[in-house]
Amino acid sequence: MDTRPILFFDSGVGGLSIVGPARAALPDAPFVYAADSAGFPYGTKSEAEIAARVPALLGRLAERYRPRLIVIACNTASTIALPVVRAALDLPVVGTVPAIKPAALLSKTRTIGVLGTEATVRQAYVDDLATKFAGDCRVLRYGSAALVEMAEAKLHGRVVAPDRYAAVLDGLFSKPGGDAIDVIVNACTHFPLVEAELAVAAPGVCFVDGGPGIARRIVHLMQGESWSGAGEGVAVFTRLGGDERALGPALAARGFARIEQL
Protein backbone atom coordinates (compact mmCIF):
# COMPACT_ATOMS: atom_id res chain seq x y z
CA MET A 1 0.00 0.00 0.00
CA ASP A 2 1.55 3.30 -1.15
CA THR A 3 1.20 5.89 1.61
CA ARG A 4 3.65 8.47 0.24
CA PRO A 5 2.12 11.95 0.57
CA ILE A 6 2.03 15.15 -1.41
CA LEU A 7 4.06 17.73 0.50
CA PHE A 8 3.21 21.45 0.55
CA PHE A 9 5.85 23.94 1.67
CA ASP A 10 5.63 27.60 2.68
CA SER A 11 7.26 29.95 5.17
CA GLY A 12 3.99 30.21 7.11
CA VAL A 13 0.36 29.19 6.71
CA GLY A 14 -0.25 30.94 3.38
CA GLY A 15 0.18 27.70 1.48
CA LEU A 16 -3.06 26.47 3.01
CA SER A 17 -4.76 28.48 0.26
CA ILE A 18 -3.18 26.01 -2.21
CA VAL A 19 -4.10 22.98 -0.10
CA GLY A 20 -7.84 23.75 -0.41
CA PRO A 21 -8.18 23.35 -4.20
CA ALA A 22 -5.71 20.46 -4.18
CA ARG A 23 -7.70 18.61 -1.50
CA ALA A 24 -10.88 19.10 -3.51
CA ALA A 25 -9.18 17.67 -6.61
CA LEU A 26 -7.51 14.71 -4.84
CA PRO A 27 -9.59 13.94 -1.73
CA ASP A 28 -7.95 10.54 -1.14
CA ALA A 29 -4.34 11.75 -1.30
CA PRO A 30 -2.37 12.02 1.96
CA PHE A 31 -0.96 15.52 2.54
CA VAL A 32 1.90 16.91 4.60
CA TYR A 33 2.03 20.67 5.19
CA ALA A 34 5.44 22.09 6.06
CA ALA A 35 5.96 25.65 7.32
CA ASP A 36 9.38 27.22 7.84
CA SER A 37 8.25 29.07 10.94
CA ALA A 38 11.87 29.60 12.03
CA GLY A 39 12.52 31.49 8.80
CA PHE A 40 9.20 33.35 8.53
CA PRO A 41 8.61 35.69 6.76
CA TYR A 42 10.41 35.14 3.45
CA GLY A 43 9.16 38.33 1.81
CA THR A 44 11.64 40.54 3.67
CA LYS A 45 14.65 38.24 3.23
CA SER A 46 17.34 38.54 0.57
CA GLU A 47 17.36 36.35 -2.52
CA ALA A 48 20.61 34.75 -1.32
CA GLU A 49 19.10 33.74 2.01
CA ILE A 50 16.06 32.15 0.38
CA ALA A 51 18.08 30.43 -2.36
CA ALA A 52 20.23 28.77 0.30
CA ARG A 53 17.54 27.98 2.87
CA VAL A 54 14.71 26.51 0.80
CA PRO A 55 16.58 23.69 -1.02
CA ALA A 56 18.25 22.59 2.22
CA LEU A 57 14.94 22.42 4.08
CA LEU A 58 13.15 20.62 1.26
CA GLY A 59 15.96 18.06 1.15
CA ARG A 60 15.40 17.30 4.83
CA LEU A 61 11.62 17.17 4.39
CA ALA A 62 11.92 14.84 1.41
CA GLU A 63 14.17 12.52 3.41
CA ARG A 64 11.74 12.37 6.33
CA TYR A 65 8.38 12.15 4.54
CA ARG A 66 9.32 10.57 1.16
CA PRO A 67 6.71 12.55 -0.82
CA ARG A 68 5.60 11.65 -4.33
CA LEU A 69 5.45 15.34 -5.23
CA ILE A 70 6.39 18.65 -3.59
CA VAL A 71 4.44 21.86 -3.99
CA ILE A 72 6.36 25.03 -3.14
CA ALA A 73 3.22 26.87 -2.03
CA CYS A 74 5.02 30.19 -1.75
CA ASN A 75 5.46 32.71 -4.55
CA THR A 76 8.64 34.18 -3.06
CA ALA A 77 10.37 30.81 -2.63
CA SER A 78 9.22 29.64 -6.07
CA THR A 79 10.44 32.68 -8.00
CA ILE A 80 13.86 32.45 -6.32
CA ALA A 81 14.61 28.80 -5.50
CA LEU A 82 12.49 26.60 -7.78
CA PRO A 83 15.21 25.74 -10.37
CA VAL A 84 17.69 24.78 -7.64
CA VAL A 85 15.14 22.60 -5.85
CA ARG A 86 14.19 20.81 -9.07
CA ALA A 87 17.85 20.12 -9.83
CA ALA A 88 18.49 18.79 -6.33
CA LEU A 89 15.48 16.48 -5.86
CA ASP A 90 14.58 13.45 -7.93
CA LEU A 91 10.80 13.93 -7.80
CA PRO A 92 8.25 16.32 -9.32
CA VAL A 93 8.27 19.84 -7.85
CA VAL A 94 5.44 22.29 -8.57
CA GLY A 95 6.02 25.99 -8.04
CA THR A 96 3.68 28.90 -7.43
CA VAL A 97 3.84 31.95 -9.69
CA PRO A 98 1.68 35.09 -9.90
CA ALA A 99 -1.57 34.48 -11.81
CA ILE A 100 -0.93 37.26 -14.33
CA LYS A 101 -2.24 35.29 -17.29
CA PRO A 102 -5.79 34.76 -15.93
CA ALA A 103 -5.80 38.34 -14.64
CA ALA A 104 -5.07 39.66 -18.14
CA LEU A 105 -7.87 37.53 -19.56
CA LEU A 106 -10.32 39.05 -17.05
CA SER A 107 -9.30 42.72 -17.11
CA LYS A 108 -11.57 45.10 -19.01
CA THR A 109 -9.61 48.26 -18.19
CA ARG A 110 -6.28 46.61 -19.12
CA THR A 111 -4.86 47.72 -15.78
CA ILE A 112 -3.85 44.96 -13.40
CA GLY A 113 -2.54 45.10 -9.84
CA VAL A 114 -0.01 42.57 -8.55
CA LEU A 115 -0.10 42.32 -4.76
CA GLY A 116 2.70 40.23 -3.29
CA THR A 117 5.65 40.33 -0.94
CA GLU A 118 8.46 42.79 -1.56
CA ALA A 119 10.72 39.92 -2.62
CA THR A 120 8.21 38.59 -5.17
CA VAL A 121 7.14 41.81 -6.87
CA ARG A 122 10.72 42.85 -7.61
CA GLN A 123 11.63 39.59 -9.39
CA ALA A 124 12.49 39.61 -13.10
CA TYR A 125 10.21 36.56 -13.37
CA VAL A 126 7.24 38.87 -12.82
CA ASP A 127 8.51 41.09 -15.64
CA ASP A 128 8.63 38.05 -17.91
CA LEU A 129 5.08 36.97 -17.01
CA ALA A 130 3.77 40.48 -17.60
CA THR A 131 5.49 40.70 -20.99
CA LYS A 132 4.34 37.25 -22.08
CA PHE A 133 0.73 37.28 -20.88
CA ALA A 134 -0.21 40.92 -20.26
CA GLY A 135 1.70 42.82 -22.91
CA ASP A 136 -1.24 45.13 -23.63
CA CYS A 137 -1.89 45.84 -19.94
CA ARG A 138 -0.50 48.25 -17.42
CA VAL A 139 0.79 46.04 -14.60
CA LEU A 140 1.21 47.83 -11.27
CA ARG A 141 2.91 46.13 -8.32
CA TYR A 142 2.96 46.54 -4.57
CA GLY A 143 4.78 44.51 -1.94
CA SER A 144 3.28 44.18 1.55
CA ALA A 145 4.80 42.34 4.48
CA ALA A 146 1.96 43.67 6.65
CA LEU A 147 -0.68 41.72 4.71
CA VAL A 148 1.23 38.48 5.31
CA GLU A 149 1.11 39.15 9.05
CA MET A 150 -2.60 40.02 8.83
CA ALA A 151 -3.38 36.69 7.13
CA GLU A 152 -1.42 34.83 9.81
CA ALA A 153 -3.32 36.76 12.48
CA LYS A 154 -6.65 35.73 10.95
CA LEU A 155 -5.75 32.04 11.14
CA HIS A 156 -4.70 32.54 14.75
CA GLY A 157 -8.20 33.88 15.44
CA ARG A 158 -7.08 37.45 16.04
CA VAL A 159 -9.16 40.40 14.82
CA VAL A 160 -7.66 42.72 12.19
CA ALA A 161 -9.19 46.17 11.71
CA PRO A 162 -10.82 46.56 8.25
CA ASP A 163 -9.03 49.84 7.57
CA ARG A 164 -5.71 47.97 7.57
CA TYR A 165 -6.76 46.07 4.45
CA ALA A 166 -7.78 49.32 2.76
CA ALA A 167 -4.39 50.81 3.66
CA VAL A 168 -2.56 47.91 1.98
CA LEU A 169 -4.66 48.19 -1.18
CA ASP A 170 -3.98 51.91 -1.29
CA GLY A 171 -0.40 50.94 -2.08
CA LEU A 172 -1.72 49.82 -5.48
CA PHE A 173 -4.55 52.27 -6.05
CA SER A 174 -2.39 55.30 -5.25
CA LYS A 175 0.12 54.52 -7.98
CA PRO A 176 -0.19 56.53 -11.23
CA GLY A 177 -3.06 54.88 -13.13
CA GLY A 178 -3.99 52.77 -10.12
CA ASP A 179 -7.56 54.05 -10.05
CA ALA A 180 -8.19 52.00 -13.23
CA ILE A 181 -7.28 48.63 -11.64
CA ASP A 182 -10.12 46.15 -12.07
CA VAL A 183 -8.24 42.89 -11.35
CA ILE A 184 -5.71 42.21 -8.59
CA VAL A 185 -3.41 39.20 -8.56
CA ASN A 186 -2.93 37.81 -5.07
CA ALA A 187 0.73 36.99 -5.72
CA CYS A 188 1.38 35.63 -2.23
CA THR A 189 -0.31 32.44 -1.07
CA HIS A 190 -1.20 34.15 2.22
CA PHE A 191 -3.42 36.69 0.51
CA PRO A 192 -6.29 34.44 -0.67
CA LEU A 193 -6.82 33.62 3.01
CA VAL A 194 -8.01 37.23 3.46
CA GLU A 195 -9.60 37.67 0.03
CA ALA A 196 -13.03 38.31 1.58
CA GLU A 197 -11.62 41.18 3.61
CA LEU A 198 -9.76 42.59 0.60
CA ALA A 199 -12.93 42.39 -1.50
CA VAL A 200 -14.84 44.43 1.07
CA ALA A 201 -12.10 47.07 0.98
CA ALA A 202 -12.12 47.15 -2.85
CA PRO A 203 -15.69 46.63 -4.11
CA GLY A 204 -15.97 45.91 -7.80
CA VAL A 205 -12.40 44.62 -8.10
CA CYS A 206 -11.81 40.96 -9.03
CA PHE A 207 -9.13 39.02 -7.16
CA VAL A 208 -7.34 36.02 -8.73
CA ASP A 209 -4.70 33.60 -7.46
CA GLY A 210 -2.86 30.52 -8.65
CA GLY A 211 -4.55 27.90 -6.44
CA PRO A 212 -6.92 26.35 -9.01
CA GLY A 213 -4.21 26.18 -11.67
CA ILE A 214 -1.78 24.51 -9.26
CA ALA A 215 -4.42 21.92 -8.34
CA ARG A 216 -4.87 21.10 -12.03
CA ARG A 217 -1.11 20.73 -12.42
CA ILE A 218 -0.90 18.37 -9.44
CA VAL A 219 -3.70 16.21 -10.86
CA HIS A 220 -1.92 16.07 -14.23
CA LEU A 221 1.39 15.01 -12.68
CA MET A 222 -0.28 12.42 -10.45
CA GLN A 223 -2.25 10.71 -13.23
CA GLY A 224 -2.13 6.95 -12.78
CA GLU A 225 -1.19 7.16 -9.10
CA SER A 226 -3.25 5.14 -6.64
CA TRP A 227 -4.19 6.47 -3.22
CA SER A 228 -4.88 4.50 -0.05
CA GLY A 229 -7.00 7.21 1.58
CA ALA A 230 -6.06 10.58 2.99
CA GLY A 231 -5.85 9.50 6.61
CA GLU A 232 -4.44 11.89 9.19
CA GLY A 233 -2.67 14.86 7.64
CA VAL A 234 0.57 16.08 9.20
CA ALA A 235 1.64 19.70 9.72
CA VAL A 236 5.36 20.18 10.40
CA PHE A 237 7.10 23.36 11.57
CA THR A 238 10.78 24.25 11.70
CA ARG A 239 10.06 25.99 15.01
CA LEU A 240 7.24 24.68 17.16
CA GLY A 241 6.19 27.06 19.91
CA GLY A 242 3.02 28.57 21.29
CA ASP A 243 2.20 30.54 18.13
CA GLU A 244 2.45 27.44 15.97
CA ARG A 245 0.43 25.28 18.38
CA ALA A 246 -2.26 27.97 18.44
CA LEU A 247 -2.84 27.18 14.76
CA GLY A 248 -4.08 23.71 15.74
CA PRO A 249 -7.80 24.38 15.16
CA ALA A 250 -7.21 26.04 11.77
CA LEU A 251 -4.94 23.19 10.69
CA ALA A 252 -7.33 20.50 11.94
CA ALA A 253 -10.17 22.11 9.99
CA ARG A 254 -8.06 21.64 6.87
CA GLY A 255 -7.23 18.00 7.57
CA PHE A 256 -3.95 18.34 9.48
CA ALA A 257 -4.68 16.76 12.83
CA ARG A 258 -1.07 16.02 13.82
CA ILE A 259 1.64 18.64 14.41
CA GLU A 260 5.35 17.85 14.37
CA GLN A 261 8.68 19.69 14.41
CA LEU A 262 11.38 19.23 11.78
Side-chain angles (χ1 to χ4, degrees):
M1 185 168 61
D2 192 345
T3 59
R4 291 176 300 147
I6 295 173
L7 187 143
F8 297 79
F9 174 84
D10 186 20
S11 62
V13 294
L16 292 172
S17 69
I18 306 297
V19 167
R23 181 86 73 188
L26 291 171
D28 294 327
F31 286 179
V32 171
Y33 186 84
D36 183 14
S37 46
F40 175 84
Y42 281 178
T44 56
K45 286 185 164 47
S46 70
E47 281 82 350
E49 288 178 280
I50 294 167
R53 187 174 183 88
V54 171
L57 280 175
L58 284 173
R60 291 172 60 195
L61 288 162
E63 184 176 354
R64 177 184 288 193
Y65 294 103
R66 302 293 179 187
R68 310 183 203 204
L69 178 145
I70 288 175
V71 181
I72 302 181
C74 172
N75 291 83
T76 302
S78 295
T79 55
I80 294 169
L82 184 58
V84 179
V85 173
R86 283 178 169 159
L89 298 179
D90 188 23
L91 74 165
V93 181
V94 175
T96 308
V97 297
I100 290 175
K101 182 179 181 179
L105 293 173
L106 286 169
S107 179
K108 300 292 191 293
T109 64
R110 313 315 292 156
T111 303
I112 296 166
V114 177
L115 188 62
T117 65
E118 294 170 7
T120 293
V121 299
R122 67 175 177 249
Q123 293 303 312
Y125 194 88
V126 179
D127 295 331
D128 295 341
L129 288 173
T131 300
K132 185 174 182 180
F133 297 118
D136 66 334
C137 294
R138 176 185 291 168
V139 180
L140 304 175
R141 313 179 198 184
Y142 182 68
S144 174
L147 192 55
V148 176
E149 299 284 358
M150 290 151 68
E152 292 268 335
K154 179 181 177 179
L155 261 70
H156 278 88
R158 298 193 289 268
V159 175
V160 178
D163 61 349
R164 293 190 64 195
Y165 295 101
V168 168
L169 289 170
D170 189 59
L172 278 174
F173 295 136
S174 64
K175 290 182 179 293
D179 57 344
I181 292 172
D182 65 343
V183 181
I184 292 177
V185 179
N186 276 327
C188 170
T189 54
H190 278 81
F191 298 173
L193 298 174
V194 291
E195 183 176 318
E197 290 82 354
L198 291 170
V200 169
V205 174
C206 177
F207 290 85
V208 298
D209 65 83
I214 293 166
R216 290 191 295 271
R217 182 63 179 159
I218 295 170
V219 170
H220 173 74
L221 291 171
M222 293 291 97
Q223 279 183 343
E225 294 282 323
S226 59
W227 308 97
S228 58
E232 183 183 55
V234 179
V236 55
F237 293 89
T238 54
R239 179 185 60 214
L240 185 54
D243 277 353
E244 290 75 29
R245 294 193 183 280
L247 290 165
L251 290 165
R254 291 163 173 83
F256 300 101
R258 195 164 89 244
I259 298 177
E260 299 178 353
Q261 182 169 6
L262 182 64

